[in-house]
Amino acid sequence: YKYDVAFLEENLPGLVQLSDTITGAKVLLCASYQGRVLTSAANDDDYSFGWINYDLIASKKKKPQFNPIGGEERFWIGPEGGQYSFYFKKGDSFNISHWQVPAIVDTLPWQIIESTRSKVVFSRQGTLTNYSGTIFQMDITRSVQILSKTEVQDQLQISIPEKIKFVAYESNNEIKNTGDHDWKKSGGLASIWLLSMMPPSNETAVCIPFVSTANSRQYITDNYFGIIPSDR
């Protein structure tokens, strides 16, 4: 984690670090890249959990379509494809060569409107036009807060043993319509995604809680980037 902090401080402006003074947990964010969580750790000397594209960041260059600098948790907007997509211009084919990530979730910095040791709030205003030509004027607000041991135990309804090291945080993300017309299904709607990129390992596990319902399997999309092997 110390290495990542030193590298990012050298190469990116707008860094913000949250910390828990009791556990030593740290969360590193970046206002110049949409308030994303770049990485986190149980303490300064521990493993850094976020995947970071060191080569792209060090180059200080911007790619024309998308800048995959990485980050443990970032704001994204949808839909990405289809007639209401924000990533294709009207009339273009849905081909990767025409795919264009909006600057508001790629290259534009966000404003810090509140910052404490344990919480930071970012804001950005912008206008997006979807594939069908509907214009969306919006105000995006994103807050990220590091969680204490007590808060984690209360939320997960567990008891964390003293020997367990951890870092936990939560983000709250909102889109507000600031235009002069209502957003309606007939013209397309906007959705919030939260994307995470973390280094893989043989010990990595992901827990995804959901409320089981009849035929719940039909609501789970596990082939977004191809079919996941059965051993995973």
Side-chain angles (χ1 to χ4, degrees):
Y1 179 77
K2 280 182 178 178
Y3 170 86
D4 282 344
V5 171
F7 170 82
L8 293 166
E9 284 180 340
E10 182 179 349
N11 290 281
L12 286 182
L15 296 181
V16 180
Q17 182 174 255
L18 306 181
S19 62
D20 186 319
T21 56
I22 297 176
T23 65
K26 302 289 177 66
V27 179
L28 189 67
L29 304 101
C30 186
S32 58
Y33 276 94
Q34 305 83 51
R36 74 182 63 194
V37 176
L38 290 167
T39 191
S40 68
N43 59 58
D44 281 331
D45 297 314
D46 262 351
Y47 190 74
S48 186
F49 293 122
W51 182 84
I52 295 170
N53 191 337
Y54 301 104
D55 291 341
L56 180 58
I57 293 173
S59 74
K60 294 184 171 60
K61 295 179 180 178
K62 293 290 196 299
K63 291 180 174 291
Q65 281 185 295
F66 170 50
N67 289 269
I69 70 162
E72 191 174 320
E73 194 254 31
R74 72 179 190 270
F75 181 96
W76 199 248
I77 196 164
E80 193 166 350
Q83 71 269 36
Y84 303 127
S85 170
F86 290 113
Y87 298 75
F88 293 88
K89 292 181 181 179
K90 189 171 185 177
D92 284 348
S93 63
F94 294 116
N95 183 288
I96 190 64
S97 63
H98 294 143
W99 180 69
Q100 178 64 57
V101 177
I104 198 170
V105 291
D106 186 35
T107 56
L108 292 178
W110 289 14
Q111 180 184 6
I112 298 174
I113 58 175
E114 178 187 336
S115 182
T116 67
R117 176 189 54 78
S118 60
K119 180 180 179 181
V120 60
V121 181
F122 304 94
S123 178
R124 180 75 204 194
Q125 295 76 43
T127 301
L128 292 174
T129 303
N130 69 14
Y131 186 84
S132 295
T134 306
I135 298 173
F136 292 77
Q137 291 177 285
M138 61 180 67
D139 187 342
I140 305 172
T141 303
R142 168 174 165 81
S143 67
V144 181
Q145 179 175 346
I146 194 168
L147 300 178
S148 68
K149 183 175 183 178
T150 299
E151 289 171 324
V152 175
Q153 292 181 138
D154 289 345
Q155 288 199 28
L156 298 182
Q157 298 181 13
I158 61 172
S159 178
I160 303 175
E162 289 298 324
K163 65 179 181 179
I164 298 296
K165 295 187 292 183
F166 70 93
V167 57
Y169 58 90
E170 65 179 9
S171 70
N172 286 281
N173 304 268
E174 299 179 357
I175 299 176
K176 180 181 179 181
N177 180 359
T178 58
D180 55 7
H181 66 274
D182 293 340
W183 295 350
K184 298 180 179 180
K185 188 176 180 179
S186 58
L189 299 171
S191 65
I192 295 173
W193 295 14
L194 298 174
L195 279 68
S196 296
M197 302 181 74
M198 302 181 187
S201 79
N202 291 331
E203 291 78 33
T204 299
V206 178
C207 300
I208 306 174
F210 72 100
V211 178
S212 182
T213 61
N215 301 315
S216 58
R217 183 66 183 81
Q218 67 177 314
Y219 301 108
I220 300 173
T221 301
D222 64 357
N223 62 347
Y224 190 81
F225 291 110
I227 297 174
I228 298 175
S230 59
D231 62 351
R232 296 180 62 192

